[in-house]
Amino acid sequence: MSKLLALTKEMMVYFHNIFRLYQKIWTFDKLYVVISGLLIAMRVIHPFNGILFLKWIVDELTGQARLPETLLLIGLMCGIEFIIRSLDSIFWTYEQKKILRFKTKFLKEINLKTMNLSYQQIEDPQMIDDRQKAMEIFYPGQAHFMDLQNTIIDSKQLIVNTLQLFGVIAILLTLGPVIFIVLLLTYFVSLILNTIASHKEFNVWSNSLVHIGRRIGYFQELSTDFAYAKEMRMNQLGQWIEDKMQYYFKQVKKDVTKAVHAFTWMNIISNTLQVIVNGGVYFYIGWLAYNAVISLSEIVVYMTSLGVFVNALFGITACIISLQKAGMHLSTYFKYLQTVTLNEAQQQDDESTQDSNWSIDPKQEIKTSIKIEFVDVWFQYPNQEEYTLKHINLTINPGEKLAIVGENGAGKTTLIKLLLRLYKPTKGKILINGTDIHDLHFDDYTNYITAVFQDFNILNFSLLHNIVFDNEYSDESIAEIIRDLNLEDTIEKLPHHLHTELGRLFHQEGVELSGGQQQKLAIARALFKDSPFIVLDEPTAMLSPKAEYEIYTNFSGLTKDKTTVYISHRMSSCRFCDRIIVMKMGEIIEIGSHEQLMRERGEYERLYTTQAEFYKNLEVAK
């Protein structure tokens, strides 16, 4: 009994989600909801058009048998049928357009809210799973039965079937209350069985299919994405990826098979009960007719009404199961929206206490404006026991060229993530001109700082849009950046110059830039933004030490009036910097110029000497 009550409570929650969906639709388009109400009324009366007119026609034919009156009744019945079907077809086209519009609005909302998630939340696997589940109502993947269009249509059909059911109940009750009670009991048993089966199906989807589906989707991306094509072929990874996909397909098959078996058996029991009961009712009507208890026109009414009753019950059952599944998936959708909305609210609360008037004094020179201070900063990644950064005390002076070096895992990139406000320090503060960076509006803060990352991305847009995005620009500023980065010859050779599409995802004539050209393009973005503080987080890691040194040296000249931080694990690339920070195991262990650190003969000298010896031997070997 407790399980039944729990199931009933869950059902109420799921159907409340359908109501919440319509509340959102009401905010988008009130006229659509009103027209839907009129359509429901029209569909409810549709079957009664046939029931009533057939009775009148049969009464006329078995009574006075007047041909004109009979033809008039038939004409009226057909005319009403034509009007209802025509209006239904017109609304179907109207509804498809509206649902596409609603889907677009919902997608816009969820994408905008996702963009407002913090970087830390975006990296959370649970958040990724929740978003995947939320997106099922727009692009059904693992849960093919959950679709926004089906949900809207089925919700209206449920109301139609329910009202039709009440209409034929009044007719069927004249056969006797026992018949009606037996029919309803059969229906409720079938509904409970199918509800339990669909609940099992949802649990499989929620607990297994989404997580495994993301893995399978990743393997499919490895198999088809051009970015992985060389590694896949050179290392002959096809069979290895296929084996992994088959392993997860088997897991899916195992989980789905259990749900399918439960659904199948409960469906068989439900259908068997309904067939037996419906057959018994038809037999009873036949028995009444045989004994002349009811007339021929009443037989037509009862038979037609019973057909409507059965169809309505089947329709209600199907709609309830469909909407139950939809309500389950909408729970994940609204849960995700609630999560991202709470994040927005938290950001708004934080911003309400932030200094909206903070800015650099326009009378100051840019090179003397930005000063960053790390004050005893500690950082621990979520669900990690050890601190990644410890006791970070560092001042980055205005206009300074600073290098941060160290071996892989030293904490260099994590320190930059904190500086860029992708994460918040676990302990300590980061100050900009004496103000905690988290006390400023994020948009204001990012106006003063920009970065070129090691894993920068080139978008499948034109080369120009890859530099300016949606910002205003002048031809002179773009020409100057292109000239400074020696990209003139490269762009001149492109088929459409600055307007050439990059990548072949959408256009066959798209151009694939070389690694060096892409890196220059990423640096061009930073130069175009013209922020007074620039971070280069190993964007040239794939280049040779000589090429990296040349790019860094050239970039240093281009940013002579700006504060610049260079991240590198190559010591030789940072000799031109004013100061070098050496990190090891999450701590700063040395600070100084190249000459100072070499004289101290510490970690920097060891790393520099080791690397220099390695590259020297490499040149000799060549």
Side-chain angles (χ1 to χ4, degrees):
M1 189 64 182
S2 59
K3 289 185 177 180
L4 184 60
L5 289 174
L7 189 60
T8 303
K9 186 177 180 180
E10 286 183 0
M11 288 282 288
M12 293 176 65
V13 171
Y14 299 150
F15 277 91
H16 178 65
N17 289 335
I18 304 296
F19 177 73
R20 292 173 67 186
L21 177 66
Y22 269 92
Q23 284 182 314
K24 292 179 72 69
I25 292 174
W26 175 261
T27 62
F28 297 152
D29 196 331
K30 295 178 175 60
L31 179 61
Y32 169 81
V33 178
V34 173
I35 293 177
S36 294
L38 296 176
L39 176 76
I40 288 172
M42 182 185 71
R43 287 178 176 172
V44 168
I45 66 173
H46 187 192
F48 296 100
N49 174 56
I51 292 175
L52 292 175
F53 274 100
L54 282 175
K55 181 182 184 306
W56 295 336
I57 290 169
V58 172
D59 281 340
E60 181 63 36
L61 291 173
T62 57
Q64 301 181 36
R66 293 170 297 182
L67 183 59
E69 283 74 4
T70 303
L71 292 176
L72 176 62
L73 290 171
I74 293 173
L76 287 173
M77 181 180 72
C78 293
I80 295 173
E81 184 77 12
F82 174 77
I83 292 172
I84 291 175
R85 288 181 179 272
S86 297
L87 290 175
D88 199 50
S89 298
I90 292 171
F91 184 81
W92 175 261
T93 304
Y94 167 81
E95 187 168 48
Q96 300 308 302
K97 295 177 181 178
K98 288 295 184 180
I99 290 175
L100 179 60
R101 177 171 173 263
F102 299 152
K103 182 181 290 190
T104 302
K105 284 185 172 290
F106 289 147
L107 279 171
K108 180 181 179 181
E109 178 188 32
I110 204 169
N111 286 332
L112 287 175
K113 287 183 177 293
T114 299
M115 288 296 294
N116 287 325
L117 288 173
S118 67
Y119 185 82
Q120 179 175 332
Q121 288 175 307
I122 289 293
E123 282 192 324
D124 184 0
Q126 183 60 52
M127 186 66 72
I128 296 173
D129 279 348
D130 287 345
R131 183 176 187 275
Q132 180 74 20
K133 292 176 183 178
M135 294 299 288
E136 284 286 337
I137 68 171
F138 307 114
Y139 298 114
Q142 310 304 326
H144 57 87
F145 44 77
M146 174 58 231
D147 180 60
L148 183 64
Q149 176 175 311
N150 291 338
T151 301
I152 292 175
I153 292 173
D154 287 348
S155 59
K156 290 199 288 286
Q157 192 59 41
L158 176 62
I159 298 173
V160 169
N161 289 333
T162 302
L163 294 177
Q164 287 177 351
L165 182 68
F166 287 131
V168 295
I169 280 175
I171 299 173
L172 293 177
L173 276 174
T174 59
L175 282 174
V178 175
I179 298 294
F180 173 68
I181 292 172
V182 170
L183 285 170
L184 282 185
L185 285 176
T186 305
Y187 159 69
F188 281 119
V189 170
S190 298
L191 179 61
I192 290 171
L193 291 174
N194 285 311
T195 299
I196 293 172
S198 64
H199 194 268
K200 290 179 179 292
E201 189 177 14
F202 175 78
N203 286 336
V204 169
W205 173 82
S206 181
N207 300 326
S208 176
L209 291 186
V210 170
H211 179 68
I212 294 177
R214 279 206 305 117
R215 288 182 176 272
I216 292 175
Y218 175 67
F219 295 140
Q220 289 173 333
E221 181 183 357
L222 291 178
S223 303
T224 58
D225 196 319
F226 179 75
Y228 306 104
K230 294 189 289 292
E231 285 79 4
M232 292 292 296
R233 284 153 180 78
M234 293 304 299
N235 294 292
Q236 299 180 4
L237 301 181
Q239 189 58 50
W240 182 59
I241 296 297
E242 178 66 22
D243 290 342
K244 285 187 171 293
M245 289 179 68
Q246 287 301 319
Y247 169 78
Y248 286 106
F249 275 130
K250 288 179 180 177
Q251 289 293 111
V252 170
K253 181 180 178 182
K254 180 181 177 182
D255 293 338
V256 169
T257 299
K258 292 180 181 179
V260 169
H261 284 168
F263 192 85
T264 301
W265 279 109
M266 291 184 183
N267 213 15
I268 289 173
I269 296 171
S270 170
N271 289 335
T272 301
L273 282 173
Q274 290 180 3
V275 168
I276 292 173
V277 172
N278 291 341
V281 174
Y282 279 117
F283 176 81
Y284 180 67
I285 292 173
W287 181 83
L288 292 175
Y290 177 77
N291 289 280
V293 176
I294 58 177
S295 66
L296 180 59
S297 63
E298 289 175 322
I299 293 174
V300 172
V301 169
Y302 285 134
M303 286 293 190
T304 309
S305 297
L306 183 60
V308 174
F309 181 85
V310 171
N311 288 335
L313 285 181
F314 272 112
I316 291 172
T317 303
C319 288
I320 286 179
I321 293 172
S322 172
L323 293 176
Q324 178 199 9
K325 294 173 182 178
M328 292 173 183
H329 291 82
L330 284 170
S331 291
T332 62
Y333 167 72
F334 285 120
K335 175 187 174 185
Y336 181 75
L337 280 186
Q338 182 182 26
T339 300
V340 294
T341 301
L342 287 174
N343 181 73
E344 285 182 328
Q346 181 62 48
Q347 287 182 344
Q348 291 173 357
D349 289 342
D350 292 342
E351 289 180 355
S352 66
T353 62
Q354 292 170 348
D355 185 0
S356 59
N357 297 316
W358 189 92
S359 64
I360 296 174
D361 186 346
K363 295 181 180 179
Q364 290 182 308
E365 294 289 336
I366 287 181
K367 64 181 180 180
T368 61
S369 296
I370 296 294
K371 179 180 179 181
I372 298 291
E373 297 174 86
F374 287 76
V375 182
D376 195 25
V377 170
W378 294 63
F379 180 71
Q380 183 182 44
Y381 279 104
N383 304 318
Q384 299 293 320
E385 295 183 0
E386 300 294 328
Y387 279 93
T388 304
L389 295 179
K390 296 166 282 189
H391 290 301
I392 301 297
N393 290 282
L394 171 66
T395 299
I396 305 175
N397 296 310
E400 183 176 25
K401 300 293 182 287
L402 180 75
I404 303 178
V405 301
E407 295 182 322
N408 290 334
K412 306 184 298 294
T413 296
T414 300
L415 185 145
I416 294 303
K417 286 181 179 179
L418 297 185
L419 175 61
L420 298 176
R421 280 185 58 174
L422 299 179
Y423 285 95
K424 190 172 183 178
T426 307
K427 294 190 290 186
K429 292 183 178 181
I430 304 174
L431 308 178
I432 178 170
N433 291 6
T435 301
D436 191 323
I437 63 173
H438 291 277
D439 288 341
L440 308 178
H441 286 289
F442 183 76
D443 290 344
D444 291 338
Y445 181 69
T446 55
N447 285 332
Y448 297 107
I449 188 167
T450 190
V452 182
F453 299 103
Q454 178 179 350
D455 54 347
F456 59 84
N457 291 299
I458 301 300
L459 308 181
N460 280 264
F461 301 129
S462 70
L463 188 146
L464 178 62
H465 283 143
N466 266 277
I467 297 175
V468 303
F469 300 121
D470 62 342
N471 298 300
E472 295 183 1
Y473 66 94
S474 66
D475 294 337
E476 293 76 13
S477 64
I478 298 300
E480 182 180 357
I481 292 171
I482 290 170
R483 186 169 53 253
D484 290 340
L485 292 175
N486 297 320
L487 280 170
E488 291 172 300
D489 291 341
T490 298
I491 293 174
E492 189 63 31
K493 293 176 182 178
L494 296 176
H496 303 291
H497 308 304
L498 278 172
H499 301 286
T500 300
E501 192 88 5
L502 301 184
R504 297 192 178 94
L505 183 62
F506 304 115
H507 299 283
Q508 284 295 323
E509 64 271 19
V511 173
E512 297 287 348
L513 298 180
S514 68
Q517 291 168 339
Q518 291 183 18
Q519 286 155 348
K520 287 185 177 181
L521 188 59
I523 292 173
R525 293 173 182 167
L527 293 177
F528 174 77
K529 190 175 179 183
D530 198 27
S531 298
F533 196 110
I534 303 178
V535 176
L536 271 73
D537 184 8
E538 297 195 88
T540 57
M542 295 183 293
L543 298 181
S544 66
K546 180 180 179 181
E548 180 182 71
Y549 179 77
E550 290 175 351
I551 287 179
Y552 275 11
T553 303
N554 183 43
F555 191 76
S556 178
L558 297 175
T559 59
K560 56 182 179 297
D561 292 331
K562 303 177 187 294
T563 306
T564 312
V565 175
Y566 300 85
I567 309 297
S568 181
H569 63 275
R570 291 170 176 161
M571 310 302 113
S572 59
S573 298
C574 306
R575 294 179 59 178
F576 62 87
C577 291
D578 301 318
R579 285 191 303 159
I580 299 172
I581 307 298
V582 184
M583 295 191 67
K584 185 175 183 180
M585 298 182 67
E587 297 186 73
I588 296 176
I589 59 172
E590 295 175 7
I591 301 179
S593 66
H594 170 74
E595 291 75 15
Q596 289 174 326
L597 295 177
M598 289 298 289
R599 286 196 299 268
E600 291 178 3
R601 302 183 66 81
E603 179 69 9
Y604 177 82
E605 190 271 343
R606 182 187 71 80
L607 292 172
Y608 184 89
T609 303
T610 301
Q611 285 189 1
E613 190 66 26
F614 171 76
Y615 292 125
K616 181 179 179 181
N617 292 336
L618 194 62
E619 289 295 324
V620 171
K622 290 181 178 179

